Amino acid sequence: MMKHETIETNSGLLIILTLAVISIGGLVEIVPLFYIDGTVEEVEGVRPYSPLELRGRDIYVREGCYTCHSQMIRPFRDEYLRYGHYSLAAESQYDHPFQWGSKRTGPDLARVGGKYSNDWHVQHLVAPRSVVPESIMPNYPWLLDNELQYADVEARMKALKRVGVPYSETVEEYRANVEKFGEDVARTLDIGRARENLVAQAQAGNFDGNGARLSEMDAVVAYLQVLGTMVDFGQYDEGHFAQFR
Ligand code: HEC
């Protein structure tokens, strides 16, 4: 029998045995990740962004909104009393990069969708202090002036597809989306119809209040209005999602 003292007083042996123990622990944790498709529990309602929402999200990232706003409600009482149901992993499943963040100079935005009208968002983004006098958020007037560029929206969707977001290019992929998300959503995920879908959503939603042209504001407001609205929490009991934490 080897005494523990023998190991502790022999540093060569101690190093070898330590490495052996760490490698076993590492293999047990890392190897399964190569054999499973995903680590996120699927939740009904969660879908990839439409082309217009996606452009909005990219502008949100470009403007650095994430430097002041997080998008993750933690499962603590003070958080869900203020912001609503805590965030589920599935809700940021298609976000690359995710917008969780840890800096909250402003409030969390994970469930801001539907909280205000489109008009309020436009006014607030152009001049935050005109609606919230004590605000320290910067003005973003150019969102309304800049015409929305969307010539590259297909390329943006293809890039996300490469990292696993189910935008469709082939008929089979389209059919799989119809199966998974339903016909209406599947259509918005079709890369071949991206520009046409983007324009249609902007015109139907008229997010910036000006139907005559497409501005960056249209995209940003469409994005803000969808945040946190995909899962219908009303249909679940309290505690239902505890199993997905
Ligand atoms: C310098 C920090 C800062 C930056 C950058 C910033 N915000 Fe804010 N934001 C705030 C603060 C502070 C508030 C709270 C006061 C207010 O409503 O204006 C806020 C509030 C908001 C609200 C209202 C949230 C609610 O629940 O009432 C929205 C929506 C919002 N910001 C969107 C944005 C967007 C979109 C961007 C990027 C274009 C952005 N913010 C950039 C600080 C910031």
Side-chain angles (χ1 to χ4, degrees), residues 65 68-69 105-107 115-116 121 124-125 132 135-138 140:
C65 311
C68 288
H69 292 286
T105 303
K115 182 176 175 187
Y116 303 103
H121 279 298
H124 180 253
L125 285 164
V132 184
S135 183
I136 53 158
M137 178 162 140
Y140 293 92

Side-chain angles (χ1 to χ4, degrees), residues 2-232:
M2 200 193 288
K3 283 227 178 82
H4 213 276
E5 194 180 336
T6 325
I7 303 173
E8 283 175 28
T9 52
N10 182 341
S11 50
L13 185 61
L14 182 65
I15 288 171
I16 290 167
L17 292 178
T18 307
L19 288 178
V21 170
I22 293 174
S23 343
I24 293 169
L27 287 175
V28 167
E29 293 208 349
I30 295 163
V31 169
L33 295 177
F34 290 101
Y35 294 97
I36 51 178
D37 290 338
T39 49
V40 177
E41 294 271 2
E42 300 267 337
V43 175
E44 164 132 24
V46 177
R47 59 159 176 82
Y49 295 117
S50 71
L52 184 67
E53 293 154 7
L54 182 62
R55 280 304 286 125
R57 193 203 67 131
D58 290 347
I59 295 167
Y60 178 96
V61 172
R62 179 193 77 195
E63 297 296 347
C65 311
Y66 60 84
T67 57
C68 288
H69 292 286
S70 59
Q71 287 188 27
M72 182 173 53
I73 304 160
R74 298 176 218 132
F76 303 134
R77 192 179 181 81
D78 60 319
E79 298 242 334
Y80 61 73
L81 286 179
R82 176 167 181 189
Y83 298 120
H85 199 288
Y86 55 80
S87 296
L88 306 177
E91 289 181 284
S92 40
Q93 184 176 2
Y94 301 126
D95 264 3
H96 298 280
F98 62 76
Q99 298 299 314
W100 299 337
S102 54
K103 181 78 172 73
R104 281 185 181 160
T105 303
D108 189 277
L109 297 181
R111 301 214 182 284
V112 83
K115 182 176 175 187
Y116 303 103
S117 65
N118 295 344
D119 289 349
W120 187 91
H121 279 298
V122 174
Q123 184 64 36
H124 180 253
L125 285 164
V126 170
R129 272 151 299 281
S130 66
V131 281
V132 184
E134 64 276 22
S135 183
I136 53 158
M137 178 162 140
N139 298 346
Y140 293 92
W142 55 87
L143 296 180
L144 205 51
D145 300 335
N146 289 355
E147 204 174 308
L148 182 66
Q149 302 299 327
Y150 59 93
D152 59 358
V153 70
E154 291 95 342
R156 290 169 187 269
M157 292 166 87
K158 281 182 193 161
L160 287 170
K161 188 180 170 215
R162 290 189 73 159
V163 292
V165 182
Y167 290 119
S168 65
E169 286 180 283
T170 65
V171 178
E172 294 80 65
E173 287 164 351
Y174 179 76
R175 290 215 187 101
N177 280 346
V178 173
E179 186 98 335
K180 187 164 179 198
F181 301 107
E183 184 96 48
D184 291 348
V185 171
R187 214 172 294 128
T188 67
L189 307 181
D190 184 2
I191 297 180
R193 284 184 270 183
R195 292 190 217 184
E196 163 196 335
N197 285 332
L198 180 145
V199 174
Q201 189 186 357
Q203 281 172 349
N206 190 16
F207 298 94
D208 68 354
N210 178 351
R213 64 189 284 265
L214 258 176
S215 66
E216 290 187 341
M217 188 64 90
D218 277 308
V220 172
V221 175
Y223 170 66
L224 292 172
Q225 292 292 32
V226 83
L227 290 180
T229 63
M230 289 183 189
V231 180
D232 176 6

